[in-house]
Amino acid sequence: SIKLEFAFAPPAGAVPAGFNVYRRSDKTAPALLPLNPVPITAPSWEDLQVEFDRSYWYSVAALVKMHGETVESFRSEEKELHFSLQELR
């Protein structure tokens, strides 16, 4: 699995509402929808749907409540992670 940890300082007057995680397994295909069906409210999240010896590109968007509406931030910079087993020596 791959674990992501979140940190975010909301703008003044906004109430934190969680995070959306986006993942691509193909660098040429955009991630259009979040992996999570509902906002993640915990400070971390674990992706259990990964395959060995594959690369994944992750980005995260914060959600806040402002003026009665939930607003999604711009996505974070995308990070590439390669899921593989460590060699035992």
Side-chain angles (χ1 to χ4, degrees), residues 15-59:
V15 177
F19 298 91
N20 280 335
V21 174
Y22 296 86
R23 180 188 76 190
R24 301 193 293 164
S25 56
D26 178 349
K27 188 67 174 159
T28 62
L32 301 176
L33 299 172
L35 287 174
N36 46 296
V38 296
I40 299 165
T41 56
S44 65
W45 176 80
E46 196 167 356
D47 189 353
L48 302 174
Q49 304 297 315
V50 293
E51 296 176 17
F52 286 111
D53 204 28
R54 284 196 75 176
S55 290
Y56 297 94
W57 291 265
Y58 290 90
S59 61

Short mmCIF file of all heavy atoms in Angstrom, two decimals, residues 15-59:
data_model
loop_
_atom_site.label_atom_id
_atom_site.label_comp_id
_atom_site.label_asym_id
_atom_site.label_seq_id
_atom_site.Cartn_x
_atom_site.Cartn_y
_atom_site.Cartn_z
N VAL A 15 -13.85 26.72 6.75
CA VAL A 15 -13.83 25.57 7.65
C VAL A 15 -13.33 24.36 6.87
O VAL A 15 -13.90 24.04 5.82
CB VAL A 15 -15.25 25.30 8.21
CG1 VAL A 15 -15.27 24.06 9.08
CG2 VAL A 15 -15.77 26.51 8.96
N PRO A 16 -12.27 23.70 7.33
CA PRO A 16 -11.77 22.52 6.61
C PRO A 16 -12.86 21.46 6.47
O PRO A 16 -13.62 21.20 7.41
CB PRO A 16 -10.64 22.00 7.49
CG PRO A 16 -10.24 23.16 8.34
CD PRO A 16 -11.49 23.97 8.54
N ALA A 17 -12.95 20.86 5.27
CA ALA A 17 -13.97 19.84 5.00
C ALA A 17 -13.38 18.53 4.53
O ALA A 17 -14.10 17.60 4.22
CB ALA A 17 -14.97 20.38 3.98
N GLY A 18 -12.05 18.44 4.41
CA GLY A 18 -11.41 17.19 4.00
C GLY A 18 -10.53 17.36 2.79
O GLY A 18 -10.13 18.47 2.42
N PHE A 19 -10.25 16.22 2.16
CA PHE A 19 -9.34 16.18 1.01
C PHE A 19 -9.89 15.23 -0.04
O PHE A 19 -10.59 14.26 0.27
CB PHE A 19 -7.96 15.67 1.43
CG PHE A 19 -7.28 16.54 2.45
CD1 PHE A 19 -7.45 16.32 3.80
CD2 PHE A 19 -6.49 17.60 2.05
CE1 PHE A 19 -6.83 17.12 4.75
CE2 PHE A 19 -5.88 18.41 2.97
CZ PHE A 19 -6.05 18.18 4.33
N ASN A 20 -9.54 15.49 -1.30
CA ASN A 20 -9.78 14.57 -2.40
C ASN A 20 -8.42 14.14 -2.94
O ASN A 20 -7.52 14.97 -3.11
CB ASN A 20 -10.58 15.22 -3.53
CG ASN A 20 -12.06 15.27 -3.24
OD1 ASN A 20 -12.58 14.47 -2.48
ND2 ASN A 20 -12.74 16.21 -3.85
N VAL A 21 -8.28 12.84 -3.19
CA VAL A 21 -7.03 12.28 -3.72
C VAL A 21 -7.26 11.87 -5.17
O VAL A 21 -8.25 11.20 -5.49
CB VAL A 21 -6.57 11.05 -2.90
CG1 VAL A 21 -5.35 10.40 -3.53
CG2 VAL A 21 -6.27 11.46 -1.46
N TYR A 22 -6.34 12.27 -6.03
CA TYR A 22 -6.38 11.93 -7.45
C TYR A 22 -5.15 11.09 -7.78
O TYR A 22 -4.06 11.37 -7.29
CB TYR A 22 -6.39 13.19 -8.31
CG TYR A 22 -7.62 14.03 -8.10
CD1 TYR A 22 -7.68 14.96 -7.07
CD2 TYR A 22 -8.73 13.86 -8.91
CE1 TYR A 22 -8.81 15.71 -6.85
CE2 TYR A 22 -9.88 14.62 -8.70
CZ TYR A 22 -9.91 15.54 -7.67
OH TYR A 22 -11.04 16.29 -7.46
N ARG A 23 -5.33 10.05 -8.59
CA ARG A 23 -4.22 9.17 -8.94
C ARG A 23 -4.28 8.81 -10.42
O ARG A 23 -5.35 8.57 -10.95
CB ARG A 23 -4.29 7.88 -8.13
CG ARG A 23 -3.14 6.91 -8.45
CD ARG A 23 -3.33 5.57 -7.80
NE ARG A 23 -4.36 4.83 -8.54
CZ ARG A 23 -4.89 3.70 -8.11
NH1 ARG A 23 -4.54 3.19 -6.96
NH2 ARG A 23 -5.81 3.10 -8.82
N ARG A 24 -3.10 8.80 -11.01
CA ARG A 24 -2.97 8.32 -12.39
C ARG A 24 -1.99 7.16 -12.39
O ARG A 24 -1.00 7.17 -11.66
CB ARG A 24 -2.42 9.40 -13.31
CG ARG A 24 -3.27 10.63 -13.35
CD ARG A 24 -2.93 11.57 -14.46
NE ARG A 24 -1.62 12.19 -14.33
CZ ARG A 24 -1.01 12.79 -15.34
NH1 ARG A 24 -1.58 12.84 -16.53
NH2 ARG A 24 0.16 13.35 -15.18
N SER A 25 -2.24 6.17 -13.22
CA SER A 25 -1.27 5.09 -13.40
C SER A 25 -0.68 5.16 -14.81
O SER A 25 0.18 4.37 -15.16
CB SER A 25 -1.91 3.73 -13.15
OG SER A 25 -3.04 3.56 -13.97
N ASP A 26 -1.14 6.12 -15.56
CA ASP A 26 -0.66 6.36 -16.92
C ASP A 26 -0.37 7.85 -17.02
O ASP A 26 -1.27 8.67 -16.84
CB ASP A 26 -1.72 5.93 -17.92
CG ASP A 26 -1.33 6.17 -19.37
OD1 ASP A 26 -0.32 6.86 -19.63
OD2 ASP A 26 -2.05 5.66 -20.24
N LYS A 27 0.87 8.20 -17.29
CA LYS A 27 1.28 9.62 -17.30
C LYS A 27 0.52 10.43 -18.35
O LYS A 27 0.39 11.64 -18.23
CB LYS A 27 2.80 9.70 -17.53
CG LYS A 27 3.37 11.08 -17.39
CD LYS A 27 3.31 11.59 -15.97
CE LYS A 27 4.02 12.92 -15.86
NZ LYS A 27 3.62 13.70 -14.74
N THR A 28 -0.01 9.78 -19.37
CA THR A 28 -0.69 10.52 -20.45
C THR A 28 -2.19 10.70 -20.21
O THR A 28 -2.82 11.51 -20.87
CB THR A 28 -0.48 9.81 -21.81
OG1 THR A 28 -1.06 8.50 -21.75
CG2 THR A 28 1.00 9.71 -22.15
N ALA A 29 -2.76 9.92 -19.28
CA ALA A 29 -4.21 10.01 -19.03
C ALA A 29 -4.48 10.87 -17.80
O ALA A 29 -3.88 10.65 -16.76
CB ALA A 29 -4.78 8.62 -18.81
N PRO A 30 -5.36 11.85 -17.89
CA PRO A 30 -5.64 12.72 -16.74
C PRO A 30 -6.47 11.99 -15.68
O PRO A 30 -7.25 11.09 -15.99
CB PRO A 30 -6.45 13.87 -17.35
CG PRO A 30 -7.10 13.27 -18.55
CD PRO A 30 -6.14 12.23 -19.07
N ALA A 31 -6.29 12.38 -14.43
CA ALA A 31 -7.12 11.87 -13.33
C ALA A 31 -8.30 12.82 -13.19
O ALA A 31 -8.17 13.93 -12.69
CB ALA A 31 -6.31 11.83 -12.05
N LEU A 32 -9.45 12.42 -13.66
CA LEU A 32 -10.62 13.30 -13.69
C LEU A 32 -11.44 13.29 -12.41
O LEU A 32 -12.01 14.31 -12.04
CB LEU A 32 -11.51 12.93 -14.88
CG LEU A 32 -10.86 13.00 -16.25
CD1 LEU A 32 -11.82 12.52 -17.32
CD2 LEU A 32 -10.39 14.41 -16.54
N LEU A 33 -11.49 12.14 -11.74
CA LEU A 33 -12.32 12.00 -10.55
C LEU A 33 -11.45 11.58 -9.36
O LEU A 33 -10.48 10.85 -9.53
CB LEU A 33 -13.41 10.96 -10.77
CG LEU A 33 -14.40 11.26 -11.89
CD1 LEU A 33 -15.31 10.06 -12.13
CD2 LEU A 33 -15.23 12.48 -11.54
N PRO A 34 -11.83 11.99 -8.15
CA PRO A 34 -11.06 11.55 -6.98
C PRO A 34 -11.23 10.05 -6.76
O PRO A 34 -12.26 9.46 -7.11
CB PRO A 34 -11.64 12.36 -5.84
CG PRO A 34 -12.96 12.82 -6.29
CD PRO A 34 -12.92 12.88 -7.78
N LEU A 35 -10.21 9.43 -6.14
CA LEU A 35 -10.29 8.01 -5.78
C LEU A 35 -11.29 7.78 -4.66
O LEU A 35 -11.95 6.75 -4.61
CB LEU A 35 -8.92 7.52 -5.28
CG LEU A 35 -7.84 7.33 -6.32
CD1 LEU A 35 -6.52 6.97 -5.65
CD2 LEU A 35 -8.23 6.24 -7.30
N ASN A 36 -11.40 8.73 -3.76
CA ASN A 36 -12.27 8.60 -2.60
C ASN A 36 -13.71 8.99 -2.95
O ASN A 36 -13.94 10.02 -3.56
CB ASN A 36 -11.75 9.46 -1.44
CG ASN A 36 -11.37 10.86 -1.87
OD1 ASN A 36 -10.45 11.03 -2.66
ND2 ASN A 36 -12.07 11.86 -1.38
N PRO A 37 -14.69 8.16 -2.54
CA PRO A 37 -16.09 8.47 -2.85
C PRO A 37 -16.66 9.62 -2.01
O PRO A 37 -17.60 10.28 -2.42
CB PRO A 37 -16.82 7.16 -2.55
CG PRO A 37 -15.94 6.43 -1.61
CD PRO A 37 -14.54 6.86 -1.90
N VAL A 38 -16.09 9.84 -0.83
CA VAL A 38 -16.47 10.95 0.04
C VAL A 38 -15.19 11.63 0.51
O VAL A 38 -14.12 11.01 0.51
CB VAL A 38 -17.31 10.49 1.26
CG1 VAL A 38 -18.64 9.90 0.82
CG2 VAL A 38 -16.56 9.49 2.10
N PRO A 39 -15.23 12.90 0.90
CA PRO A 39 -14.02 13.58 1.35
C PRO A 39 -13.31 12.83 2.49
O PRO A 39 -13.97 12.29 3.38
CB PRO A 39 -14.51 14.94 1.82
CG PRO A 39 -15.77 15.16 1.04
CD PRO A 39 -16.39 13.80 0.90
N ILE A 40 -12.00 12.80 2.42
CA ILE A 40 -11.18 12.18 3.47
C ILE A 40 -10.99 13.23 4.56
O ILE A 40 -10.46 14.30 4.29
CB ILE A 40 -9.82 11.75 2.90
CG1 ILE A 40 -10.02 10.72 1.79
CG2 ILE A 40 -8.92 11.21 4.00
CD1 ILE A 40 -8.79 10.50 0.93
N THR A 41 -11.42 12.91 5.77
CA THR A 41 -11.31 13.88 6.86
C THR A 41 -10.16 13.56 7.81
O THR A 41 -9.83 14.37 8.67
CB THR A 41 -12.63 13.96 7.65
OG1 THR A 41 -12.97 12.66 8.12
CG2 THR A 41 -13.75 14.50 6.76
N ALA A 42 -9.54 12.41 7.67
CA ALA A 42 -8.39 12.03 8.49
C ALA A 42 -7.14 12.73 7.96
O ALA A 42 -7.11 13.15 6.80
CB ALA A 42 -8.20 10.52 8.46
N PRO A 43 -6.08 12.85 8.78
CA PRO A 43 -4.85 13.51 8.33
C PRO A 43 -3.98 12.62 7.42
O PRO A 43 -2.94 13.05 6.95
CB PRO A 43 -4.12 13.83 9.63
CG PRO A 43 -4.62 12.82 10.61
CD PRO A 43 -6.04 12.53 10.20
N SER A 44 -4.43 11.38 7.15
CA SER A 44 -3.69 10.51 6.24
C SER A 44 -4.67 9.56 5.56
O SER A 44 -5.81 9.39 6.00
CB SER A 44 -2.60 9.74 6.97
OG SER A 44 -3.17 8.86 7.91
N TRP A 45 -4.18 8.91 4.50
CA TRP A 45 -5.01 7.99 3.73
C TRP A 45 -4.09 6.96 3.10
O TRP A 45 -2.96 7.29 2.70
CB TRP A 45 -5.78 8.76 2.67
CG TRP A 45 -6.61 7.92 1.76
CD1 TRP A 45 -7.83 7.38 2.01
CD2 TRP A 45 -6.27 7.52 0.43
NE1 TRP A 45 -8.28 6.69 0.92
CE2 TRP A 45 -7.33 6.75 -0.06
CE3 TRP A 45 -5.17 7.73 -0.39
CZ2 TRP A 45 -7.33 6.20 -1.33
CZ3 TRP A 45 -5.16 7.19 -1.64
CH2 TRP A 45 -6.24 6.44 -2.11
N GLU A 46 -4.55 5.72 3.01
CA GLU A 46 -3.73 4.65 2.46
C GLU A 46 -4.39 4.08 1.21
O GLU A 46 -5.56 3.72 1.24
CB GLU A 46 -3.56 3.55 3.51
CG GLU A 46 -2.45 2.60 3.21
CD GLU A 46 -2.10 1.72 4.39
OE1 GLU A 46 -2.68 1.89 5.49
OE2 GLU A 46 -1.25 0.85 4.23
N ASP A 47 -3.63 4.03 0.13
CA ASP A 47 -4.11 3.48 -1.14
C ASP A 47 -3.83 1.98 -1.14
O ASP A 47 -2.67 1.56 -1.22
CB ASP A 47 -3.41 4.17 -2.31
CG ASP A 47 -4.02 3.79 -3.65
OD1 ASP A 47 -4.89 2.89 -3.70
OD2 ASP A 47 -3.61 4.40 -4.66
N LEU A 48 -4.86 1.19 -1.05
CA LEU A 48 -4.72 -0.27 -1.01
C LEU A 48 -4.89 -0.90 -2.39
O LEU A 48 -4.76 -2.11 -2.53
CB LEU A 48 -5.74 -0.87 -0.03
CG LEU A 48 -5.66 -0.36 1.40
CD1 LEU A 48 -6.81 -0.91 2.23
CD2 LEU A 48 -4.32 -0.70 2.02
N GLN A 49 -5.18 -0.09 -3.38
CA GLN A 49 -5.44 -0.59 -4.73
C GLN A 49 -4.24 -0.38 -5.66
O GLN A 49 -4.39 0.12 -6.77
CB GLN A 49 -6.69 0.09 -5.31
CG GLN A 49 -7.92 -0.06 -4.46
CD GLN A 49 -8.35 -1.51 -4.32
OE1 GLN A 49 -8.38 -2.25 -5.29
NE2 GLN A 49 -8.68 -1.91 -3.11
N VAL A 50 -3.05 -0.74 -5.19
CA VAL A 50 -1.85 -0.57 -6.01
C VAL A 50 -1.28 -1.93 -6.38
O VAL A 50 -1.55 -2.93 -5.72
CB VAL A 50 -0.77 0.27 -5.27
CG1 VAL A 50 -1.24 1.70 -5.10
CG2 VAL A 50 -0.43 -0.34 -3.93
N GLU A 51 -0.52 -1.96 -7.46
CA GLU A 51 0.09 -3.20 -7.95
C GLU A 51 1.60 -3.07 -7.87
O GLU A 51 2.16 -1.99 -8.09
CB GLU A 51 -0.32 -3.45 -9.40
CG GLU A 51 -1.81 -3.68 -9.57
CD GLU A 51 -2.20 -3.84 -11.04
OE1 GLU A 51 -1.32 -4.10 -11.88
OE2 GLU A 51 -3.40 -3.71 -11.33
N PHE A 52 2.27 -4.19 -7.60
CA PHE A 52 3.72 -4.19 -7.52
C PHE A 52 4.36 -3.80 -8.84
O PHE A 52 3.84 -4.10 -9.91
CB PHE A 52 4.24 -5.58 -7.10
CG PHE A 52 4.01 -5.87 -5.66
CD1 PHE A 52 3.09 -6.83 -5.27
CD2 PHE A 52 4.71 -5.19 -4.67
CE1 PHE A 52 2.87 -7.10 -3.93
CE2 PHE A 52 4.49 -5.45 -3.33
CZ PHE A 52 3.57 -6.42 -2.96
N ASP A 53 5.48 -3.13 -8.72
CA ASP A 53 6.31 -2.72 -9.85
C ASP A 53 5.57 -1.80 -10.83
O ASP A 53 5.75 -1.89 -12.04
CB ASP A 53 6.87 -3.95 -10.59
CG ASP A 53 8.14 -3.60 -11.35
OD1 ASP A 53 8.87 -2.67 -10.93
OD2 ASP A 53 8.41 -4.24 -12.39
N ARG A 54 4.75 -0.91 -10.29
CA ARG A 54 4.05 0.10 -11.09
C ARG A 54 4.29 1.46 -10.50
O ARG A 54 4.46 1.62 -9.30
CB ARG A 54 2.55 -0.15 -11.12
CG ARG A 54 2.19 -1.30 -12.03
CD ARG A 54 0.74 -1.32 -12.35
NE ARG A 54 0.39 -0.29 -13.31
CZ ARG A 54 -0.80 -0.16 -13.81
NH1 ARG A 54 -1.77 -0.96 -13.45
NH2 ARG A 54 -1.08 0.79 -14.66
N SER A 55 4.24 2.46 -11.35
CA SER A 55 4.34 3.85 -10.91
C SER A 55 2.95 4.47 -10.88
O SER A 55 2.09 4.13 -11.70
CB SER A 55 5.24 4.66 -11.85
OG SER A 55 6.57 4.25 -11.70
N TYR A 56 2.76 5.37 -9.93
CA TYR A 56 1.50 6.09 -9.78
C TYR A 56 1.82 7.57 -9.57
O TYR A 56 2.83 7.91 -8.96
CB TYR A 56 0.70 5.57 -8.57
CG TYR A 56 0.29 4.13 -8.73
CD1 TYR A 56 1.07 3.10 -8.21
CD2 TYR A 56 -0.87 3.79 -9.41
CE1 TYR A 56 0.70 1.77 -8.35
CE2 TYR A 56 -1.25 2.47 -9.56
CZ TYR A 56 -0.45 1.47 -9.04
OH TYR A 56 -0.84 0.16 -9.20
N TRP A 57 0.96 8.43 -10.07
CA TRP A 57 1.11 9.87 -9.90
C TRP A 57 -0.06 10.36 -9.07
O TRP A 57 -1.23 10.17 -9.44
CB TRP A 57 1.14 10.56 -11.26
CG TRP A 57 2.38 10.26 -12.03
CD1 TRP A 57 3.51 11.02 -12.07
CD2 TRP A 57 2.63 9.13 -12.88
NE1 TRP A 57 4.45 10.42 -12.87
CE2 TRP A 57 3.93 9.26 -13.38
CE3 TRP A 57 1.89 8.01 -13.24
CZ2 TRP A 57 4.51 8.32 -14.23
CZ3 TRP A 57 2.46 7.07 -14.09
CH2 TRP A 57 3.75 7.25 -14.57
N TYR A 58 0.23 10.99 -7.94
CA TYR A 58 -0.79 11.44 -7.00
C TYR A 58 -0.83 12.96 -6.92
O TYR A 58 0.20 13.62 -6.96
CB TYR A 58 -0.50 10.92 -5.58
CG TYR A 58 -0.68 9.44 -5.43
CD1 TYR A 58 0.37 8.57 -5.65
CD2 TYR A 58 -1.91 8.91 -5.05
CE1 TYR A 58 0.21 7.20 -5.49
CE2 TYR A 58 -2.08 7.55 -4.89
CZ TYR A 58 -1.01 6.69 -5.12
OH TYR A 58 -1.18 5.35 -4.97
N SER A 59 -2.03 13.48 -6.75
CA SER A 59 -2.22 14.89 -6.39
C SER A 59 -3.39 14.94 -5.42
O SER A 59 -4.21 14.02 -5.37
CB SER A 59 -2.46 15.77 -7.62
OG SER A 59 -3.62 15.36 -8.29
#
